[in-house]
Amino acid sequence: MMKRTLLLATAIAFGAVTSIASAAGLPPLEQKDRYKVGFAQMESNNPWRIAETKSFHDTAESCGWDLIATDAAGSAAKQVADVDSMIAQGIDVLFLPPREEKPLIPAVKKAKAAGIPTFLVDRSVDPNAAKPGEDFVAFLGSDFIDQGKRVAEWTIENFKGDKGIIVQLEGTTGSSPANDRKKGFDDRIVQDERFEIVASQSGDFARDLGRQVMETLLQAHPDVNIVYAHNDEMAIGAIQALELAGRKPGEDVLVVSIDGTRDALQAIIDGKMGVTVESSPFFGPLACETMKRYTAGETIEPWVQVKDRIFTAANAPEHIDEAY
Ligand code: AHR
């Protein structure tokens, strides 16, 4: 509960200093007691997604939402179809975490054409094809470029060896967090000549695929001593692959990641992982607050930004009980 309130408070505080976009042309949303709300989840294959969906369900009653929640099971095409179905059911407002940046653009545009205000949550779409304040109301989420940069900076400060041989496990190809977490990390790490990224491959943000990709990359690059995973699930999969190969994560391989899941915090406490930069899934309260501001006639800033903490051996024990 403390963590959810923190996400809401930091986002609101940050929003106060963010530039305001014109809401001209966006569908209006009247003030009333109850709203038919669509939440079109992309998949439920990891603790982060499950926590995000639960956060919407947990917020529904207090925010007056009659919630229609779907699960696209990892298919962008199904996520588009789920939004179509919600439009046909007459939702008042749509909350959408687009699985990938481009394939969900038609869904965003169809919702607008149907007069339904849309808020993108946690992931965004290609800004050249759909824009906040025009095609959708706003993007609610973290700065993924900054997350990648912070992982790189922590690695530069804490890696003890002479030469860092890095394997990168990327998230879902074409998704905003995979694109941005790669950019943030690569741009920063390249500035220190001690480090070299020898391989960068997608594990689709999934634990088992992360393990499989790491197994393959270990054969091609047995000298790897740093693994950067775009999320904790792939980091845990990589730790499994490293241990199976007789390596010692935390001793001969530094594992660094993003999210802040319970398993990652435990891996940090166990000495197998170095750092995870937070990416909070608890969007329900922020979605409610932002929707209410919109119904009150406020122009919503294009990016309602969430600020993220960082978890290391220094603070993981005090946060593990609030993790998911
Ligand atoms: O969009 C956020 C990312 O998506 C999280 O890091 C990951 O765990 C999830 O699947």
Side-chain angles (χ1 to χ4, degrees):
M1 176 58 84
M2 204 178 78
K3 189 173 182 184
R4 296 166 200 207
T5 311
L6 185 68
L7 186 152
L8 182 58
T10 52
I12 291 168
F14 198 87
V17 296
T18 306
S19 69
I20 304 294
S22 162
L26 288 171
L29 189 60
E30 60 175 320
Q31 282 182 316
K32 51 185 186 173
D33 289 340
R34 299 208 65 85
Y35 297 87
K36 204 181 219 188
V37 170
F39 174 62
Q41 181 59 283
M42 66 185 78
E43 58 209 354
S44 302
N45 64 341
N46 73 42
W48 199 101
R49 290 285 140 208
I50 291 164
E52 185 185 46
T53 303
K54 183 173 183 306
S55 180
F56 274 85
H57 282 293
D58 289 351
T59 305
E61 199 40 54
S62 62
C63 202
W65 292 346
D66 297 318
L67 189 67
I68 302 172
T70 52
D71 176 359
S75 159
K78 180 169 182 321
Q79 202 177 17
V80 172
D82 288 343
V83 171
D84 281 344
S85 163
M86 288 173 178
I87 294 171
Q89 291 174 69
I91 55 169
D92 298 308
V93 57
L94 172 65
F95 293 104
L96 175 66
R99 188 170 197 273
E100 291 139 57
E101 284 196 325
K102 291 187 197 299
L104 268 296
I105 287 163
V108 171
K109 298 215 167 175
K110 274 194 238 174
K112 185 188 174 188
I116 299 163
T118 295
F119 297 83
L120 300 187
V121 287
D122 110 62
R123 292 189 191 178
S124 197
V125 291
D126 180 350
N128 297 315
K131 293 190 181 354
E134 291 177 24
D135 302 292
F136 57 95
V137 179
F139 165 59
L140 283 52
S142 294
D143 185 336
F144 294 135
I145 293 180
D146 190 58
Q147 290 174 345
K149 182 179 167 205
R150 290 170 78 190
V151 175
E153 281 172 348
W154 189 92
T155 303
I156 289 166
E157 277 167 32
N158 292 277
F159 177 70
K160 302 279 182 259
D162 296 330
K163 178 82 187 153
I165 314 283
I166 303 172
V167 158
Q168 180 166 199
L169 298 176
E170 299 176 20
T172 299
T173 304
S175 70
S176 58
N179 292 341
D180 292 353
R181 287 172 182 171
K182 178 169 171 52
K183 179 174 173 37
F185 183 86
D186 290 2
D187 286 355
R188 183 65 188 89
I189 210 86
V190 80
Q191 293 170 22
D192 189 322
E193 58 188 24
R194 277 191 305 154
F195 298 94
E196 184 187 359
I197 301 170
V198 292
S200 194
Q201 199 172 311
S202 177
D204 203 21
F205 282 127
R207 182 181 297 207
D208 204 47
L209 199 57
R211 180 184 57 74
Q212 290 171 36
V213 171
M214 191 66 220
E215 278 173 4
T216 307
L217 293 179
L218 257 178
Q219 287 171 11
H221 305 283
D223 54 346
V224 57
N225 54 15
I226 299 173
V227 175
Y228 166 45
H230 286 189
N231 80 342
D232 287 343
E233 281 295 284
M234 294 190 295
I236 300 294
I239 287 171
Q240 292 169 347
L242 288 163
E243 288 180 331
L244 269 173
R247 303 292 301 272
K248 290 196 167 40
E251 289 181 31
D252 60 7
V253 186
L254 179 62
V255 181
V256 294
S257 174
I258 294 168
D259 267 357
T261 65
R262 180 179 294 270
D263 285 354
L265 265 54
Q266 189 60 55
I268 291 174
I269 292 166
D270 294 343
K272 296 182 179 184
M273 230 173 108
V275 70
T276 183
V277 170
E278 182 183 34
S279 195
S280 174
F282 299 117
F283 279 97
L286 181 61
C288 173
E289 174 70 27
T290 311
M291 187 198 90
K292 287 197 165 155
R293 286 167 54 210
Y294 190 66
T295 63
E298 252 187 66
T299 300
I300 308 299
E301 58 277 16
W303 182 1
V304 182
Q305 191 174 338
V306 174
K307 293 295 230 181
D308 300 308
R309 296 170 291 176
I310 187 164
F311 300 117
T312 64
N315 64 352
E318 76 189 75
H319 291 295
I320 190 155
D321 287 341
E322 77 203 41
Y324 50 94

